[in-house]
Amino acid sequence: MRLILFSLFLSFLSAVHALHFYLDANQKRCFIEELPTDTVVEGHYRALEWSEQEQKYTENTELGIVVQVQEEPSGHIVVKTTGPLDGKFTFTSHEAGDHSICLSTNYTSWFSHTHIRLYLDIVVGSTKPDVEHDRSHVSELASKVRDLNQKLEDIRREQQYQREREEDYRNLSEATNTRAVWYSLAQIIVLVATCAWQLRHLKAFFEDRKMR
């Protein structure tokens, strides 16, 4: 008897599902996972059996867990294995679609009333790399890198042009300042010479007036 307990729809990103549930020795519990193609799935389980003597769930080394994974609706069995009470299973989806992950015990007697508490962690990994897509993606990145390099080269040339203009402006400013300094010195010299000539002329004028 198959009882569907859990259904998840997965994206291409990694996902982790952790839960625990109960089942009888002659029962099976199934999970439906919708998986893309070439997706790695890893599960870890741990089973505890009810002990009437201890009145709690305990580990029983004789207990085994049967794991069966099949593709839906084709019914193709991907994994079928029997492991210990604490174990792992791993498989890779070959086709996109629903996959049923079923767990049951290795007890075959229909008259067994043993109760099991089962802990389950399911890790759905990302899909395998698509080589062609990666190549096209790399080509696209290479094209973008070339465009960025071209833009950087244009920026570098513009900066070089601005530096040259700045240098020309600085040279022009220095030349203008030099001319202004020399012009100021020439004015000072002319003023000093004019004052000296005027003083000399006035001195000669007053001496001439005094002699008369």
Side-chain angles (χ1 to χ4, degrees):
M1 180 178 62
R2 175 176 298 181
L3 298 177
I4 300 176
L5 298 178
F6 194 54
S7 177
L8 288 175
F9 297 92
L10 302 174
S11 64
F12 286 92
L13 299 177
S14 300
V16 179
H17 314 301
L19 68 153
H20 76 273
F21 54 91
Y22 300 89
L23 72 160
D24 293 332
N26 56 357
Q27 287 184 326
K28 181 188 291 186
R29 294 290 186 266
C30 295
F31 301 87
I32 300 297
E33 295 284 352
E34 184 179 356
L35 302 174
T37 306
D38 293 331
T39 300
V40 179
V41 178
E42 180 178 339
H44 174 257
Y45 61 85
R46 180 170 176 264
L48 299 176
E49 184 176 346
W50 177 257
S51 174
E52 292 291 344
Q53 296 179 352
E54 301 183 22
Q55 289 296 303
K56 65 178 182 179
Y57 288 95
T58 60
E59 294 184 353
N60 183 358
T61 56
E62 296 181 358
L63 175 62
I65 300 299
V66 179
V67 180
Q68 179 175 314
V69 179
Q70 68 179 28
E71 298 174 347
E72 301 291 346
S74 65
H76 174 68
I77 296 177
V78 181
V79 175
K80 187 174 184 180
T81 180
T82 301
L85 57 91
D86 191 346
K88 293 182 180 180
F89 62 90
T90 304
F91 69 93
T92 302
S93 60
H94 301 291
E95 296 180 0
D98 290 339
H99 290 66
S100 63
I101 304 173
C102 299
L103 297 98
S104 58
T105 67
N106 60 346
Y107 294 155
T108 57
S109 175
W110 287 92
F111 301 101
S112 176
H113 298 286
T114 303
H115 298 287
I116 307 298
R117 181 163 63 185
L118 191 61
Y119 296 88
L120 178 63
D121 292 336
I122 298 178
V123 180
V124 180
S126 58
T127 57
K128 292 182 178 179
D130 187 343
V131 177
E132 294 300 327
H133 179 270
D134 290 344
R135 288 177 180 174
S136 62
H137 186 60
V138 170
S139 300
E140 183 180 354
L141 287 178
S143 177
K144 291 183 179 180
V145 169
R146 285 194 297 269
D147 293 340
L148 288 175
N149 287 335
Q150 184 63 38
K151 291 180 180 179
L152 289 175
E153 183 65 23
D154 294 340
I155 293 174
R156 189 190 66 81
R157 285 196 296 268
E158 180 66 22
Q159 289 179 340
Q160 182 65 27
Y161 174 70
Q162 294 296 334
R163 283 197 294 269
E164 292 176 356
R165 289 191 59 185
E166 182 182 357
E167 184 178 358
D168 294 340
Y169 180 76
R170 185 174 61 253
N171 293 335
L172 179 62
S173 298
E174 292 177 354
T176 302
N177 291 334
T178 301
R179 292 193 187 98
V181 170
W182 284 111
Y183 180 74
S184 299
L185 290 176
Q187 283 184 325
I188 293 173
I189 292 172
V190 170
L191 289 174
V192 170
T194 302
C195 291
W197 180 81
Q198 288 180 345
L199 290 174
R200 184 176 179 182
H201 177 72
L202 289 173
K203 182 179 179 182
F205 174 77
F206 285 118
E207 289 180 348
D208 182 65
R209 291 293 296 274
K210 185 177 180 181
M211 290 178 64
R212 290 181 182 181

